[in-house]
Amino acid sequence: MADDLRLGLNLGYWQRGADDATELVQAAERLGYDSVWTAEAYGSDAFTPLAWYGARTSRIKLGTSVAQLSARPPVTTAMTAMTLDHLTGGRLLLGVGASGPQVVEGWYGQPFARPLARTREYVEIMRKVWRREEPVTAPGPHYPLPLPGGLGKPLKLITHPLRDDIPVYLGAEGPKNVALAAEVAQGWLPLFVFPEKIETMYGQALAGAGPDFDVAAMVTVIVTDDVRAALNGVKMMLTLYIGGMGARARNFHADIVGRMGYAEAAERIQALYLAGRRDEAFDAIPDELADGISLVGPIGRIRERLELWRKSPVTSLLVMGPRDEPTLKAVRDLVLG
């Protein structure tokens, strides 16, 4: 249970030329938000928007939620992170994640097998790069350095990092991956959190986390008097993630909803969505699921439901949804007082 929640703004993907959130990010910084986060899938990358916003701010931390492992070799991510951390005065929070087989194999042409082992190896190599204690070597099997049988030799990062311990967060949904985050990372970035259930779902996985481990939960926040419309907005997002963001035989988002106690509903939602019956898939999303993972409604209702998050292991709320300064301020007042 967190005594004080930190507050971040999650912008998600940068999608179009007009989607410049500079004024929103600057407002968040003025209002005392701790961090701003950007994402990537198979469109915009996560780092370039952060460089843009970092050049126009001075305090707010800059997080990737998340940079995909298969998009870059570990040394490339380490170099990118080091450069951005230097240019922004040590403000980077590096969130990385394995993504899913559809993106990894379909977009990057990389094998998805053994994501936990790959993640561990990836993080270890990045930290070797930043520490600069010796030329970087790694035995593999996923990222062997130097490449066996070739002409390469171990190399050391030319530039001295501003910080040799850039904070690493893992985007993780399965209990084993969450346990890995607790072991090797400074934080965990869960996409869907049902605060009353997180202890039951992940308590054992989080048992190895240190006292400063940051559970930075992404949560949709919609301030409105129309609770029904707000819940429908959350349900639209869940319809896509449960129904279509994954292969029929392997959908991590559907799996996590199942572990929340909605396995039968998740199976039905996915089946309807993949059959092209998307309106029925939407209708199959339980209201209590949409309500449980979000903070929606009038200020008083959100304030009441916020107490469930304060009583959970969550330590940072990364809010998704606010797109204007008055709403940012209202959320700030609710969370930070």
Side-chain angles (χ1 to χ4, degrees):
M1 178 176 174
D3 294 329
D4 295 300
L5 286 171
R6 287 187 290 271
L7 183 60
L9 173 65
N10 194 311
L11 297 174
Y13 311 119
W14 181 90
Q15 297 187 58
R16 56 192 183 275
D19 191 13
D20 181 358
T22 296
E23 291 184 4
L24 190 70
V25 175
Q26 290 172 334
E29 182 172 69
R30 286 195 303 272
L31 291 167
Y33 279 64
D34 181 68
S35 57
V36 60
W37 301 73
T38 58
E40 66 183 18
Y42 41 96
S44 60
D45 76 289
F47 289 103
T48 306
L50 286 184
W52 181 262
Y53 301 134
R56 289 156 175 77
T57 54
S58 60
R59 180 199 59 78
I60 197 165
K61 294 172 186 158
L62 307 161
T64 56
S65 178
V66 293
Q68 297 166 312
L69 301 186
S70 297
R72 308 163 187 87
V75 294
T76 306
T77 300
M79 290 193 300
T80 305
M82 178 277 298
T83 306
L84 185 53
D85 195 56
H86 246 305
L87 290 172
T88 59
R91 290 191 277 151
L92 183 65
L93 302 173
L94 179 60
V96 296
S99 189
Q102 283 194 324
V103 173
V104 172
E105 297 175 359
W107 186 244
Y108 297 116
Q110 301 291 323
F112 182 74
R114 304 193 66 193
L116 269 70
R118 286 191 291 111
T119 301
R120 181 186 294 277
E121 202 172 307
Y122 201 100
V123 172
E124 288 175 354
I125 291 172
M126 290 196 301
R127 291 204 169 118
K128 283 185 178 182
V129 170
W130 297 329
R131 287 195 297 264
R132 294 190 77 255
E133 292 172 348
E134 57 189 4
V136 177
T137 61
H142 304 286
Y143 307 103
L145 292 173
L147 183 69
L151 299 178
K153 67 176 185 177
L155 299 171
K156 185 189 288 188
L157 187 68
I158 296 172
T159 308
H160 289 257
L162 182 65
R163 296 185 293 171
D164 63 6
D165 61 345
I166 295 171
V168 174
Y169 287 62
L170 294 190
E173 292 181 279
K176 290 182 180 179
N177 210 357
V178 174
L180 179 65
E183 178 190 349
V184 306
Q186 282 94 341
W188 168 38
L189 292 161
L191 176 59
F192 299 137
V193 170
F194 205 120
E196 302 99 302
K197 299 174 185 269
I198 188 173
E199 203 63 77
T200 301
M201 294 172 64
Y202 298 112
Q204 187 173 353
L206 291 169
D212 297 325
F213 187 76
D214 189 14
V215 179
M218 292 167 262
V219 55
T220 297
V221 178
I222 304 173
V223 180
T224 178
D225 290 331
D226 192 341
V227 176
R228 178 71 269 160
L231 287 177
N232 284 348
V234 178
K235 289 174 69 171
M236 286 182 65
M237 177 269 295
L238 283 170
T239 304
L240 173 62
Y241 274 82
I242 299 171
M245 293 286 279
R248 184 184 299 273
R250 196 164 192 182
N251 183 322
F252 298 123
H253 308 307
D255 291 345
I256 191 175
V257 169
R259 288 194 294 273
M260 288 177 180
Y262 300 96
E264 186 176 331
E267 185 176 348
R268 174 169 169 74
I269 293 158
Q270 187 183 41
L272 289 168
Y273 188 95
L274 294 177
R277 297 157 63 183
R278 298 184 179 183
D279 289 344
E280 292 177 68
F282 171 88
D283 291 336
I285 302 279
D287 281 351
E288 61 266 27
L289 170 60
D291 202 20
I293 66 166
S294 64
L295 288 166
V296 303
I299 290 293
R301 186 178 194 272
I302 293 176
R303 180 183 291 111
E304 180 180 339
R305 292 193 54 78
L306 188 59
E307 291 307 305
L308 299 171
W309 296 82
R310 295 191 191 281
K311 294 174 182 177
S312 79
V314 171
T315 49
S316 294
L317 283 183
L318 311 184
V319 300
M320 302 180 291
R323 301 298 292 185
D324 59 79
E325 186 165 355
T327 306
L328 283 178
K329 185 177 185 302
V331 173
R332 187 278 311 269
D333 293 345
L334 284 173
V335 176
L336 303 181

